[in-house]
Amino acid sequence: MGDPYFNKPQNIDLLIGAETFFELLSAGQIKQGPEYPTIQKTLLGWIVFAKYPMCSSSNTKQCNLVCQSEELPDLDKAFQRLWQMEEIPGETKKFLTTEQKMCEDHFVENTKLLPTGRFEVKLPFKSSPNSLGSSFETAKRRFLALERKLSRNTELKAMYMDFMKEYLLLGHMSPTNNEIPKSPHYFIPHQCVLRPQSTSTKLRVVFDASSRTSTQVSLNDILMVGPTIQEELFSTLLRFRTHKYAITADITKMYRQVLINEEHSNYQLIVWRQYPTQPLQYFRLNTVTYGTSPAPFLAIRCLKMLSDNFKNSYPTGSKVIEKDFYVDDLLTGADDIETLKIIKNEIQVILKNRGFQLAKWYSNHLELYNAESPEKSIKFNDSTKTLGICWQPKEDNFSFNLDSSFHDLRATKRNILSVSSRLFDPLGLLCPIITKAKILLQELWIAKLDWDESIPLRLDTCWQDIKPISALRDKNIKVC
């Protein structure tokens, strides 16, 4: 019996909405008479139901529940991204909003160089931190939930612990006196995210500065975001393809190379411990933290300042830092190998002066590859992700990897949208394939089909004709 204590009042374990309830019903019903309950067969087993005798009561109770599915917004985003991906960006706005101007002024006034050569910044508040309420209990509850999750996965727990121990070892976080500050402060909940495609860090710990405090105000609510400084992804990739000789790299732990002023360190507190048997410990994050709203601006603006500072002494490298970085990824090149070597050497010198270390070098020029020492080799034969697109340096091709697991998916509106939006193609190189998929999606919308409903034979035939995986299963689409 599913509920051995059905005759005793108990807590409700699950509320099932009407849209789910009728999907659970199966063929099979037993009726014994109007005064007896009805027995109904469902996918969960047999259930018993009957009319509840109404009784008058002066105590009226009301329960209201609003539930919004998280699935549809994700589908909406995928649908919008599919149409927006190939849009050529318009002219970049030359003016800043009032808040962006305030954020820029705040950076100029409060950023300084430490004796070590590193940048130190302050958090750009747009409203008083006094509006922050208590955040410790939420951070504690979420950490304990994370700890339970990690206890069920030994490999994941080991990677998480290694990440946090490195954070501590590098001085990017430090222990506190384990007391909750009486002045305004903020505890940031954190979680781990797996990135199997990464060649260096398979797991990253991310911080949720949008978590609301007891006053329903989060840290991100009172911080300025800052203006967009770097060029659009489209322009960066397009310019990268114009060079005869190309080179790529990225800045190791870019955000964490920029320090936060000690005055603001209490707004970046976290709860952590290495073993469940230990008491909870409080730490403060000492660097720009991924997950806070101004983090991209603060780190990228430091690169811009770095470029300005070395404009006279290293003009070539300075110009590349200003134009050819997209966040922490470098995509640049030249028409001759000598210029390419100058670019590489000057960029390394400039960035090293401020604590930024370049890693994961790739180039399409074999001479540059052979000239490197083994411990600092530039990879030539391997492929690399270049702003989300796979670049093969040896052939100097872009390739688009297609997951063969999509091949046997049933043809529904949901699956067709999922497959079509998986191809990240900001330059529009796969336009012949994606345009046909868009036309088919329009047909599906006109037919007013449900997300998981089988599509008509005519449309299914169209999908089989244009489905990229059908023609290119387990292969790469290569674009020179």
Side-chain angles (χ1 to χ4, degrees):
M1 182 178 293
D3 183 9
Y5 304 106
F6 68 94
N7 59 327
K8 296 180 180 180
Q10 297 181 76
N11 293 332
I12 297 173
D13 296 321
L14 177 68
L15 289 175
I16 299 178
E19 73 280 6
T20 305
F21 173 79
F22 290 103
E23 292 179 1
L24 295 175
L25 297 181
S26 301
Q29 190 179 85
I30 301 175
K31 291 185 177 180
Q32 299 181 358
E35 298 180 0
Y36 295 91
T38 300
I39 304 175
Q40 174 69 49
K41 186 178 182 181
T42 72
L43 297 179
L44 303 177
W46 290 90
I47 63 172
V48 179
F49 64 91
K51 183 178 179 181
Y52 184 80
M54 298 297 294
C55 58
S56 60
S57 173
S58 58
N59 297 325
T60 302
K61 296 181 180 179
Q62 188 175 29
C63 176
N64 298 316
L65 175 65
V66 177
C67 180
Q68 182 175 353
S69 171
E70 296 181 357
E71 187 174 24
L72 287 180
D74 290 341
L75 289 170
D76 289 342
K77 290 178 182 178
F79 195 64
Q80 293 172 9
R81 185 171 60 250
L82 181 62
W83 253 259
Q84 294 172 352
M85 185 64 64
E86 295 173 351
E87 291 183 1
I88 298 177
E91 183 180 358
T92 305
K93 294 182 179 180
K94 303 296 183 182
F95 62 89
L96 301 179
T97 64
T98 302
E99 180 178 315
Q100 290 174 341
K101 182 66 167 60
M102 290 172 59
C103 192
E104 168 66 19
D105 294 342
H106 180 277
F107 178 90
V108 174
E109 294 170 5
N110 295 281
T111 300
K112 62 181 180 180
L113 286 175
L114 299 178
T116 58
R118 293 182 182 271
F119 288 102
E120 182 187 84
V121 299
K122 287 186 176 182
L123 295 175
F125 287 100
K126 62 182 176 182
S127 56
S128 174
N130 292 324
S131 60
L132 294 172
S134 174
S135 54
F136 171 74
E137 290 300 328
T138 299
K140 175 184 174 182
R141 183 177 68 252
R142 290 178 58 174
F143 173 74
L144 294 177
L146 173 64
E147 198 173 49
R148 289 192 296 271
K149 174 185 175 181
L150 294 175
S151 67
R152 297 189 293 268
N153 189 327
T154 306
E155 184 179 0
L156 186 65
K157 180 179 180 180
M159 289 191 292
Y160 173 83
M161 290 302 169
D162 289 343
F163 188 101
M164 296 300 287
K165 284 189 285 187
E166 181 196 51
Y167 222 107
L168 187 61
L169 181 65
L170 294 175
H172 297 167
M173 78 175 185
S174 55
T176 68
N177 58 7
N178 240 36
E179 294 181 359
I180 299 176
K182 296 181 180 179
S183 57
H185 62 277
Y186 186 80
F187 280 88
I188 309 180
H190 52 98
Q191 63 189 42
C192 53
V193 175
L194 279 175
R195 302 185 302 164
Q197 73 281 3
S198 175
T199 57
S200 55
T201 308
K202 301 296 183 183
L203 177 140
R204 170 184 286 177
V205 174
V206 295
F207 300 90
D208 181 15
S210 295
S211 175
R212 299 194 180 279
T213 64
S214 59
T215 58
Q216 297 302 305
V217 176
S218 70
L219 179 63
N220 280 344
D221 289 337
I222 61 174
L223 290 174
M224 293 183 281
V225 176
T228 300
I229 302 172
Q230 295 173 325
E231 293 191 32
E232 296 284 346
L233 174 64
F234 177 88
S235 303
T236 305
L237 278 172
L238 197 61
R239 187 168 55 254
F240 175 69
R241 298 304 291 160
T242 64
H243 302 300
K244 182 178 180 180
Y245 303 116
I247 193 168
T248 67
D250 66 39
I251 301 175
T252 303
K253 301 176 179 62
M254 175 180 168
Y255 288 10
R256 289 160 55 186
Q257 308 308 326
V258 181
L259 301 176
I260 289 290
N261 187 282
E262 189 176 353
E263 294 179 16
H264 289 173
S265 60
N266 278 349
Y267 300 109
Q268 296 191 157
L269 300 173
I270 68 166
V271 177
W272 181 66
R273 62 184 174 190
Q274 189 171 352
Y275 303 106
T277 54
Q278 296 176 334
L280 289 176
Q281 296 176 291
Y282 313 154
F283 295 83
R284 59 170 54 92
L285 305 181
N286 302 321
T287 64
V288 169
T289 300
Y290 183 81
T292 56
S293 53
F297 168 76
L298 293 173
I300 294 170
R301 185 62 179 83
C302 286
L303 282 188
K304 176 66 168 61
M305 179 178 283
L306 191 56
S307 171
D308 294 338
N309 291 345
F310 288 88
K311 190 165 291 185
N312 295 327
S313 53
Y314 297 101
T316 303
S318 175
K319 184 177 180 181
V320 169
I321 291 174
E322 182 180 7
K323 293 289 187 181
D324 291 344
F325 267 96
Y326 190 83
V327 191
D328 59 346
D329 289 316
L330 169 67
L331 293 88
T332 190
D335 291 333
D336 61 88
I337 188 62
E338 293 305 320
T339 303
L340 191 66
K341 290 180 179 179
I342 292 173
I343 289 173
K344 178 181 179 296
N345 293 333
E346 289 193 2
I347 289 175
Q348 284 184 303
V349 172
I350 295 173
L351 294 179
K352 190 175 181 180
N353 271 282
R354 297 294 177 259
F356 295 109
Q357 184 69 40
L358 285 168
K360 292 189 282 188
W361 290 91
Y362 289 83
S363 177
N364 66 342
H365 196 277
L366 188 58
E367 179 184 338
L368 191 66
Y369 166 72
N370 290 333
E372 292 297 313
S373 59
E375 65 272 16
K376 293 184 179 179
S377 61
I378 292 184
K379 296 183 180 180
F380 178 71
N381 293 317
D382 299 334
S383 62
T384 180
K385 275 291 186 72
T386 305
L387 297 186
I389 299 179
C390 186
W391 180 49
Q392 298 171 321
K394 186 175 181 179
E395 297 84 5
D396 197 12
N397 291 335
F398 279 154
S399 66
F400 298 82
N401 299 318
L402 300 173
D403 190 341
S404 60
S405 64
F406 294 139
H407 183 75
D408 298 322
L409 287 177
R410 190 164 62 95
T412 65
K413 188 166 71 172
R414 184 191 306 277
N415 290 337
I416 291 174
L417 174 58
S418 176
V419 171
S420 303
S421 61
R422 291 294 178 98
L423 288 172
F424 182 72
D425 178 32
L427 293 179
L429 301 175
L430 301 183
C431 192
I433 294 175
I434 296 178
T435 299
K436 291 181 179 180
K438 289 180 178 180
I439 294 173
L440 176 58
L441 285 168
Q442 289 178 330
E443 292 276 357
L444 295 175
W445 252 260
I446 292 173
K448 298 181 179 179
L449 298 173
D450 194 12
W451 284 106
D452 298 307
E453 182 180 352
S454 296
I455 66 175
L457 182 60
R458 175 181 65 85
L459 298 179
D460 182 75
T461 302
C462 294
W463 174 238
Q464 297 305 325
D465 289 340
I466 69 175
K467 187 168 63 171
I469 300 102
S470 296
L472 299 160
R473 188 175 184 180
D474 298 326
K475 296 183 180 179
N476 291 334
I477 304 173
K478 296 182 179 180
V479 184
C480 299

